[in-house]
Amino acid sequence: MTSYLRSWLFTQGAETAPLPSPVTIIQSPPDTDGDTDDGDTETVHGGDDADDTPPSFPGLNSAQRLSPSLPAPAPRIFTDARLMPPPPVPALANRRPGVSNSNSLAVPLTTLRPPSKPSAKRGKVALAPGHGPLDWANLKKSGEDLRGVDTLLRVTPSMLKQHNKRDDAWSAFNGKIYNITHYLSYHPGGEKELMRVAGRDGSKLFALTHAWVNLDYMLDGCLVGFLVPEA
Ligand code: HEM
């Protein structure tokens, strides 16, 4: 093939025309029949048969070359958010304090209620030195008699009423009678507050003030007996 072309070139005016450069690209008119493999190559190689010339890109006849050169559209990049919608908001995130949620796994309503505003009346008092909670715990362990009675008693309301003094104070809490005399100076709310229930049933006031306090544990060494109706 190459030798044929070379001989053709030489016979067509070898005397006047200079020799073609070793590699010459000759652009042929567009192939009308679309047949590109018929041996009519567009490139003529000089020298040997080695073909190291990269192909034209885009191809000489490609539609890309024919179309007006428009800027390439920016690639559309889909982010994760576009491809995958955000997860649904969990039901617990929508809950409102104090509002019932039909979801059975919801936190119990009692824990969703907003905390009550602290009352202006409430407040801890400065306890005397040696009268902190740990001191009270140590006093209970000391074995000192905090009850003032030998055996547990059946206490009627009228009996209870007689123990309403600072140095002899009993009070009823949930059916149990406690001698609160020794505890008065250890009470974080102050003696005065605690004395309000001396000689009477303090269950309601206690529950309204600080129901979370473990009274039965704190005063276990002060148990006097049990509240019973009048005979
Ligand atoms: C004998 C039964 C009682 C015991 C064992 C007791 C025990 C306590 C304890 C442990 C605290 C500290 C609570 C805390 O830091 O969270 C406290 C605080 C207080 N208590 Fe009592 N209490 C008793 C009865 C009462 C009663 C009947 C009243 C009301 C008349 C009362 C009024 C207060 C007040 C106002 C405080 C301060 C609350 C605060 O920290 O804001 N306590 N009490």
Side-chain angles (χ1 to χ4, degrees):
M1 163 72 187
T2 307
S3 55
Y4 165 76
L5 283 173
R6 182 171 294 190
S7 66
W8 182 83
L9 282 169
F10 278 111
T11 54
Q12 295 296 314
E15 301 85 18
T16 53
L19 279 174
S21 60
V23 176
T24 309
I25 298 175
I26 302 167
Q27 187 164 343
S28 61
D31 192 358
T32 49
D33 60 5
D35 183 9
T36 54
D37 293 325
D38 56 2
D40 292 338
T41 54
E42 297 163 354
T43 306
V44 176
H45 299 274
D48 54 26
D49 286 337
D51 184 5
D52 293 326
T53 311
S56 304
F57 185 83
L60 296 172
N61 297 333
S62 78
Q64 262 176 293
R65 278 187 189 274
L66 296 174
S67 65
S69 60
L70 291 171
R76 299 178 70 192
I77 300 171
F78 290 95
T79 60
D80 282 345
R82 173 85 180 270
L83 290 173
M84 189 168 56
V89 180
L92 283 180
N94 287 328
R95 69 188 176 188
R96 292 215 322 273
V99 176
S100 172
N101 192 336
S102 58
N103 190 341
S104 61
L105 293 177
V107 179
L109 282 178
T110 48
T111 61
L112 293 175
R113 269 191 217 117
S116 56
K117 288 179 188 168
S119 163
K121 287 181 184 172
R122 294 185 54 173
K124 286 184 191 172
V125 300
L127 296 171
H131 286 75
L134 280 178
D135 300 308
W136 174 250
N138 285 334
L139 181 61
K140 280 203 307 175
K141 274 193 294 186
S142 68
E144 188 175 330
D145 177 25
L146 303 175
R147 303 176 202 271
V149 293
D150 296 332
T151 57
L152 291 179
L153 307 173
R154 295 164 60 89
V155 182
T156 60
S158 57
M159 281 172 66
L160 177 63
K161 214 171 178 175
Q162 294 165 12
H163 301 271
N164 62 351
K165 320 257 178 343
R166 171 65 191 83
D167 56 352
D168 176 23
W170 291 5
S171 185
F173 297 100
N174 301 321
K176 295 179 195 163
I177 308 292
Y178 291 101
N179 185 342
I180 57 174
T181 312
H182 291 93
Y183 183 69
L184 283 169
S185 55
Y186 292 85
H187 180 226
E191 287 190 31
K192 195 177 158 201
E193 287 292 339
L194 194 46
M195 275 304 289
R196 290 173 60 192
V197 295
R200 68 181 183 98
D201 194 323
S203 308
K204 193 176 173 190
L205 203 46
F206 178 90
L208 288 173
T209 313
H210 41 44
W212 61 89
V213 171
N214 191 340
L215 181 148
D216 290 321
Y217 172 74
M218 293 189 68
L219 299 184
D220 55 359
C222 309
L223 188 64
V224 170
F226 300 93
L227 189 62
V228 294
E230 298 289 347

